[in-house]
Amino acid sequence: SLVTNVANATSGADAAIALGGGTMRRTRVIGCSGLARMSLQPSGNGDRSVVEDCEIVDNGHSTTMITAKSSDLRRTLVKGNRMTSGNVITVYGSTLRDCVLRDNTTAGSVINNFTEGWVRSWSYLTNCLVVNNATTSGGAVSGSSVAAGAIQLDYCTVAGNSAESGYVGGIGGTGWNADYKLALSVRNSIVWGNVAGGKPADILFGGANSEVTVNSSCFAEAAQVPDKG
């Protein structure tokens, strides 16, 4: 299926989008004060859902705005959205390419890679800009894993994001299970000027089993900070 005109919602209107292997293209979702969860799922035969060339701007919601499972977001702007809980985007084995996520406010993370039950989740960000977002605890990009999971950033910029004291403004994650590794790979990217409680906090990865690999990337602070436990 192809969705092209869910957009231009007036202020105060509700909007709900669900894709099951379809495509949402050149769509604007703007100013919805009660934006229902956007659900992106694969079809029954495994076709991925795709969101491309879209604008998701100035919406508000009480929980996670976009849930993407085995789906792809391309050339999409996610800007100025406000979540009182949850994440702006929760990804399960999904990709973001050529996307801009900026000026969002959320209690959780801007992008969170999460393992569903005990299913492994690998998610990829390529040529994405994640800047000037304000979070309470989750930071700009995060991973939460009880099973094996990985987040890979290539040619991305994660800069000027903030979180409250004791958390991480940039990239963070916790591998909860000692038997399953949560991995972060940062390649050819910039992670700079992210703060928590006003102090530098670019990367915080820890827990029972986690690993950080950095190649050809630029950081203002240490590339890995031990988890507080």
Side-chain angles (χ1 to χ4, degrees), residues 69-102:
K69 180 179 180 181
S70 300
S71 301
D72 304 310
L73 285 82
R74 308 168 185 154
R75 301 182 302 276
T76 290
L77 172 66
V78 182
K79 178 184 177 183
N81 301 287
R82 303 164 305 283
M83 311 298 112
T84 56
S85 66
N87 310 303
V88 177
I89 303 177
T90 298
V91 291
Y92 305 81
S94 295
T95 67
L96 283 76
R97 178 181 291 271
D98 303 322
C99 293
V100 175
L101 298 98
R102 63 175 304 157

Side-chain angles (χ1 to χ4, degrees), residues 159-177:
N161 303 287
S162 64
E164 292 186 355
S165 180
Y167 297 98
V168 59
I171 305 173
T174 302
W176 297 107
N177 193 311

Side-chain angles (χ1 to χ4, degrees), residues 29-50:
V29 181
I30 299 176
C32 301
S33 63
L35 178 65
R37 177 174 292 182
M38 183 183 297
S39 176
L40 311 176
Q41 303 278 340
S43 68
N45 61 10
D47 293 335
R48 296 169 74 89
S49 290
V50 177

Side-chain angles (χ1 to χ4, degrees), residues 143-145 147-151 171-185 203-213 223-229:
S144 305
S145 181
I151 310 167
I171 305 173
T174 302
W176 297 107
N177 193 311
D179 296 325
Y180 297 95
K181 182 180 293 182
L182 175 64
L184 167 69
S185 174
I203 289 187
L204 175 63
F205 244 64
N209 192 354
S210 62
E211 177 182 86
V212 176
T213 303
Q224 183 176 9
V225 179
D227 191 286
K228 293 180 180 180

Side-chain angles (χ1 to χ4, degrees), residues 15-191:
I17 298 169
L19 296 179
T23 298
M24 185 172 81
R25 181 178 296 133
R26 293 186 297 276
T27 297
R28 304 174 72 209
V29 181
I30 299 176
C32 301
S33 63
L35 178 65
R37 177 174 292 182
M38 183 183 297
S39 176
L40 311 176
Q41 303 278 340
S43 68
N45 61 10
D47 293 335
R48 296 169 74 89
S49 290
V50 177
V51 173
E52 61 182 19
D53 301 310
C54 294
E55 296 181 10
I56 303 169
V57 178
D58 292 335
N59 302 290
H61 194 37
S62 60
T63 186
T64 296
M65 185 172 68
I66 302 171
T67 301
K69 180 179 180 181
S70 300
S71 301
D72 304 310
L73 285 82
R74 308 168 185 154
R75 301 182 302 276
T76 290
L77 172 66
V78 182
K79 178 184 177 183
N81 301 287
R82 303 164 305 283
M83 311 298 112
T84 56
S85 66
N87 310 303
V88 177
I89 303 177
T90 298
V91 291
Y92 305 81
S94 295
T95 67
L96 283 76
R97 178 181 291 271
D98 303 322
C99 293
V100 175
L101 298 98
R102 63 175 304 157
D103 306 320
N104 300 287
T105 302
T106 180
S109 303
V110 181
I111 303 168
N112 175 256
N113 179 68
F114 192 74
T115 56
E116 186 177 28
W118 292 94
V119 179
R120 299 178 179 184
S121 175
W122 281 267
S123 294
Y124 302 89
L125 281 68
T126 302
N127 197 35
C128 290
L129 183 66
V130 187
V131 297
N132 199 36
N133 299 285
T135 71
T136 300
S137 60
V141 181
S142 70
S144 305
S145 181
V146 292
I151 310 167
Q152 181 170 308
L153 284 75
D154 290 288
Y155 299 98
C156 292
T157 297
V158 180
N161 303 287
S162 64
E164 292 186 355
S165 180
Y167 297 98
V168 59
I171 305 173
T174 302
W176 297 107
N177 193 311
D179 296 325
Y180 297 95
K181 182 180 293 182
L182 175 64
L184 167 69
S185 174
V186 182
R187 305 188 302 188
N188 302 298
S189 296
I190 298 171
V191 184

